[in-house]
Amino acid sequence: MSESDPKSVQDMTAVVQTLLQQMQDKFQTMSDQIIGRNILGGRCCGNRIDDLEKNISDLMTQAGVEEIEGESKGTEVQGSA
């Protein structure tokens, strides 16, 4: 039995190494996918945020709020100087 032990240990080692390599490959693939989604999601969300800011600005202009805000900003700047 002592002769078969080293071989079975080597076989088990090979199996474990193979499984670990497969797990590492899958983990790397998943990590790459997550990073890719975050990068693409960031671009997408960035565009959405820009569009939202423009829409809010347009609505404020239509409501005449921009002038009031501009006056209050001007006052703050003058008051802080």
Side-chain angles (χ1 to χ4, degrees), residues 21-33:
Q21 185 62 46
Q22 289 172 349
M23 288 174 59
Q24 184 176 359
D25 292 344
K26 287 181 182 181
F27 181 79
Q28 187 63 47
T29 299
M30 290 174 62
S31 295
D32 292 344
Q33 289 174 348

Side-chain angles (χ1 to χ4, degrees), residues 2-55:
S2 63
E3 288 181 27
S4 66
D5 285 343
K7 183 172 174 135
S8 70
V9 169
Q10 289 174 348
D11 289 345
M12 286 297 288
T13 301
V15 168
V16 170
Q17 286 177 340
T18 301
L19 288 173
L20 288 173
Q21 185 62 46
Q22 289 172 349
M23 288 174 59
Q24 184 176 359
D25 292 344
K26 287 181 182 181
F27 181 79
Q28 187 63 47
T29 299
M30 290 174 62
S31 295
D32 292 344
Q33 289 174 348
I34 290 169
I35 291 170
R37 287 181 186 151
N38 285 339
I39 290 171
L40 293 176
R43 288 182 192 154
C44 178
C45 290
N47 291 340
R48 289 181 183 173
I49 291 171
D50 290 343
D51 290 343
L52 181 60
E53 288 176 345
K54 184 182 180 317
N55 289 336

